[in-house]
Amino acid sequence: MVKIAFASMNGGGLEDVIADRFGRAPVFTIVELDEQGNILNVKVIENPGASASSGAGVKSVQALVNEGVDIAVGPNFGPNAQVILEEMNIKAVRIPAGTKIADALEKVKKEVLGL
Amino acid sequence: MKAKISVTGGKGGTGKSTIAVNLATLIARERKLVLADLDVEAPNDHVLLNASLENEEPVEIMLPFIVYPKCTRCGVCAQVCDTGAIILTREKLPFVIPRLCSGCRACYYACPYDAIVEGKRIIGYTYKTQVKIDDTVFTLVTGVLREGEEHTPPVVLAARKRAMSLAEDLLLVDTSAGTANHVSIALEDSKLVLAVTEPTPLGLHDLELILELSSTLGLESWVIVNRSTIGDISKVEEVAQKYNARIVAKIPYSREIVESYVKGVPIVELYPNHPISQSLQALAKTVLEVI
Ligand code: SF4
Ligand code: SF4
């Protein structure tokens, strides 16, 4: 089982697209996959970093840690987020802003998970 | 210290530091002076004066250390930390991110299990340099924020404190640009604020913000227009009038100013008879009369 969080531009979900910035994305779409890559669950959580005045990246990472996320997908990661994701054992994957989440998911399955 | 004068200005090269080092040079001929460069993110008075940074002292702030055997993983420290410098791992263990920590101690006081002890971290330095230009001597105090650090106020405070402890007579402060919290710290208690601006839309915008801040702090402001020939000065006059601030000097754009940067010699020293030097001399005289 693996959990992947996508920084999402609008309301989240597989039809939404990747946000412009990881730490400031309004929501995260969290997709849970089984070993074969079948979708077990899709859920959307608010990003507490979106409105934070400081430490936005850290607050976002904290939300992902709480959800037990293994892979974080965004267009880019701030220097803080980058380091902390690594510390927290969450793999950071870069996929350009505007990519459809469903397409980004396929890409992660193929290129990161080797499915 | 008998009186403090501040030089402040808008963002990006309004000539704030140029005014500061030239005024310092002129005032130091008459009175004992300490110049404090509190633009800690980008201090450059020492560059303009061709002076080196000496007598280094570190600026330290508190850094929490978690005593893990005592920690019950209650998460209180992460909740109270408003800079987001504490993250909880999947196992709910708190983890401190030094670069984000402002040293506020909230976590230290909040931990119900005494699992946090006080450590220290260096976020910047202050320096003291004896500046000598011909027969003119004054002390320069410089605050420098370490690269990559975000918490400016402790360094501004430390440099201000060091400068004040050295200033027996006059203190001239060069603040950083803008109106952030640490600029207020630098301006506090000034007898006079010299707001340096340019006759451009951006310059005007920044000038309004600065005059607003300075009047909120209850300080008297004078306006200095740098590169006065590049735009419409009547707009500056309007803004100044609105805040009851008078325009005390207009400094035209000139090549000699650039030359003084390159040589690291204030223009009042390099070309004492240049029109710019003359306006600065007049300004220094007015300032000294008021102080
Ligand atoms: S000292 Fe303040 S800023 Fe630093 S970790 Fe503790 S609560 Fe956060
Ligand atoms: S508040 Fe104290 S006991 Fe609770 S998680 Fe933080 S360090 Fe551990």
Side-chain angles (χ1 to χ4, degrees):
Chain A
M1 220 186 59
V2 57
K3 275 192 186 177
I4 311 162
F6 298 88
S8 313
M9 184 94 89
N10 299 304
L14 295 177
E15 295 302 308
D16 196 1
V17 294
I18 302 285
D20 292 331
R21 285 192 293 167
F22 169 77
R24 297 289 185 191
V27 297
F28 289 111
T29 303
I30 300 181
V31 180
E32 201 176 335
L33 300 179
D34 67 11
E35 255 82 277
Q36 284 73 46
N38 302 309
I39 296 178
L40 295 175
N41 186 30
V42 177
K43 81 170 189 180
V44 176
I45 63 162
E46 298 272 330
N47 173 13
S51 53
S53 56
S54 70
V58 185
K59 292 192 169 112
S60 310
V61 177
Q62 181 73 75
L64 302 189
V65 171
N66 295 349
E67 292 291 331
V69 164
D70 306 287
I71 298 172
V73 180
N76 48 51
F77 300 87
N80 292 323
Q82 178 103 31
V83 172
I84 299 150
L85 281 168
E86 204 165 295
E87 277 313 322
M88 296 294 127
N89 252 321
I90 298 176
K91 191 175 170 57
V93 175
R94 282 183 182 71
I95 290 182
T99 309
K100 208 168 122 185
I101 306 282
D103 297 339
L105 175 63
E106 285 312 310
K107 201 167 166 184
V108 171
K109 272 162 73 171
K110 218 166 90 201
E111 292 174 16
V112 182
L113 299 170
L115 292 168
Chain B
M1 183 182 78
K2 297 209 179 89
K4 168 172 163 185
I5 311 152
S6 296
V7 183
T8 190
K11 292 195 182 67
T14 50
K16 178 178 64 67
S17 297
T18 312
I19 304 287
V21 299
N22 277 287
L23 269 186
T25 308
L26 292 170
I27 291 174
R29 288 179 189 163
E30 313 288 329
R31 302 275 293 259
K32 240 180 129 141
L33 178 90
V34 172
L35 171 64
D37 192 351
L38 302 190
D39 188 357
V40 303
E41 282 163 64
N44 65 357
D45 290 358
H46 64 285
V47 180
L48 297 177
L49 291 164
N50 197 18
S52 52
L53 296 177
E54 294 161 11
N55 304 300
E56 177 175 287
E57 279 177 13
V59 180
E60 295 175 329
I61 62 171
M62 183 266 190
L63 177 68
F65 275 99
I66 316 276
V67 184
Y68 287 106
K70 280 190 171 182
C71 173
T72 63
R73 311 180 185 198
C74 71
V76 166
C77 52
Q79 271 165 29
V80 300
C81 176
D82 69 345
T83 60
I86 299 183
I87 185 166
L88 298 174
T89 66
R90 224 174 268 198
E91 296 74 33
K92 301 287 172 224
L93 272 176
F95 184 88
V96 180
I97 302 138
R99 219 160 67 84
L100 295 179
C101 171
S102 67
C104 72
R105 291 190 168 80
C107 55
Y108 170 78
Y109 293 121
C111 173
Y113 303 97
D114 274 340
I116 299 183
V117 295
E118 285 193 48
K120 276 197 165 69
R121 183 166 77 91
I122 296 176
I123 59 160
Y125 300 91
T126 66
Y127 298 88
K128 184 187 96 177
T129 310
Q130 231 23 67
V131 179
K132 203 172 173 311
I133 303 166
D134 261 349
D135 295 332
T136 313
V137 186
F138 61 91
T139 306
L140 170 69
V141 171
T142 309
V144 181
L145 185 71
R146 259 175 115 170
E147 212 171 310
E149 289 294 343
E150 300 171 12
H151 299 288
T152 316
V155 183
V156 174
L157 278 169
R160 186 182 83 166
K161 193 170 159 208
R162 192 168 184 188
M164 282 173 76
S165 76
L166 293 166
E168 295 158 25
D169 189 7
L170 297 185
L171 174 61
L172 184 69
V173 167
D174 183 5
T175 77
S176 70
T179 48
N181 180 29
H182 55 90
V183 178
S184 314
I185 297 175
L187 288 178
E188 256 170 26
D189 306 324
S190 301
K191 178 136 192 195
L192 189 58
V193 173
L194 302 173
V196 184
T197 188
E198 280 181 3
T200 60
L202 192 66
L204 274 177
H205 172 80
D206 287 349
L207 179 64
E208 275 219 68
L209 295 178
I210 289 161
L211 293 179
E212 181 74 49
L213 170 69
S214 143
S215 83
T216 313
L217 294 170
L219 307 172
E220 179 174 354
S221 304
W222 292 358
V223 176
I224 298 168
V225 190
N226 194 33
R227 283 187 264 209
S228 55
T229 44
I230 64 169
D232 183 3
I233 207 150
S234 67
K235 296 254 169 46
V236 182
E237 280 160 357
E238 273 171 38
V239 173
Q241 227 164 42
K242 187 172 152 199
Y243 289 92
N244 246 330
R246 59 181 173 130
I247 297 181
V248 287
K250 295 174 189 159
I251 317 271
Y253 176 80
S254 95
R255 253 182 337 128
E256 287 78 8
I257 277 273
V258 180
E259 193 187 330
S260 82
Y261 294 157
V262 178
K263 292 202 171 134
V265 180
I267 190 162
V268 294
E269 201 52 54
L270 196 60
Y271 296 117
N273 296 321
H274 193 279
I276 292 184
S277 300
Q278 285 172 0
S279 357
L280 288 165
Q281 279 149 12
L283 174 63
K285 204 164 152 248
T286 328
V287 169
L288 281 169
E289 274 163 14
V290 168
I291 294 299

